[in-house]
Amino acid sequence: MADRATGLRRPEEFRDVYHRVYREAPYHEDAAAADGFAGQLAAHAALPGFSVTSVPATPTTLGAPGGGALGGFAYGVRREEGWWHPRAAAPAPGWLRGSLFYVYELAVVAELRGRGHGRELLDLLLADRPEPYAVLAASNKAPARELYRRWGWEKVGELTGPPDGVDLLALRLTPEP
């Protein structure tokens, strides 16, 4: 069962999960990228509107190399009106110019995938958010992108590379007026 928090416990576990997930294809990120993520996560955790969800590892994943008490997580930050991804290829659509919740990461270790943890992490992260929309970036080469589309996320833009082939997706969080 996933848990939601507004702060970080054991930040090194988030770095380890990130490294386990993003060293896989299609990302092929190295330990230095995981270290960069850890710094970014610490900076984001200090921002107002930060929220994180996590799911524990199972005994099987605890024994895996690089395993820990964390099996997956999702996190994001409230972004005020006027913010748009700095690498976006074009301005935000007009209807998406208010405040939004930006989902920076969703990561679940391979041993826990296919059990609904990713959906649970995102649903809990986005539950009760006051922002009308959530936005995230997804690689066109990642299997998660198709999951997002099935869950109702819609393409609203693209990022400039590298890496190439990354879309910005949005999800309405509040009912239309």
Side-chain angles (χ1 to χ4, degrees), residues 29-133:
E29 292 188 12
D30 59 13
D35 293 341
F37 159 77
Q40 174 183 283
L41 175 62
H44 288 157
L47 296 174
F50 172 84
S51 185
V52 62
T53 55
S54 60
V55 64
T58 64
T60 305
T61 56
L62 285 172
L70 191 65
F73 67 89
Y75 91 86
V77 175
R78 175 185 172 88
R79 292 300 185 173
E80 297 301 325
E81 185 169 345
W83 183 90
W84 191 231
H85 199 291
R87 289 184 33 228
W95 52 267
L96 191 58
R97 295 196 190 240
S99 66
L100 57 89
F101 187 75
Y102 190 80
V103 178
Y104 279 92
E105 296 296 340
L106 169 63
V108 177
V109 296
E111 299 88 350
L112 294 180
R113 291 183 202 142
R115 301 179 190 177
H117 293 299
R119 180 72 186 256
E120 180 185 23
L121 286 165
L122 261 183
D123 285 351
L124 184 58
L125 183 69
L126 301 176
D128 305 321
R129 294 295 321 171
E131 303 84 7
Y133 289 94

Side-chain angles (χ1 to χ4, degrees), residues 12-26:
E12 69 281 355
E13 290 183 0
F14 289 84
R15 185 245 180 244
D16 291 344
V17 169
Y18 179 94
H19 185 55
R20 287 178 66 188
V21 170
Y22 287 96
R23 69 182 176 203
E24 300 172 7

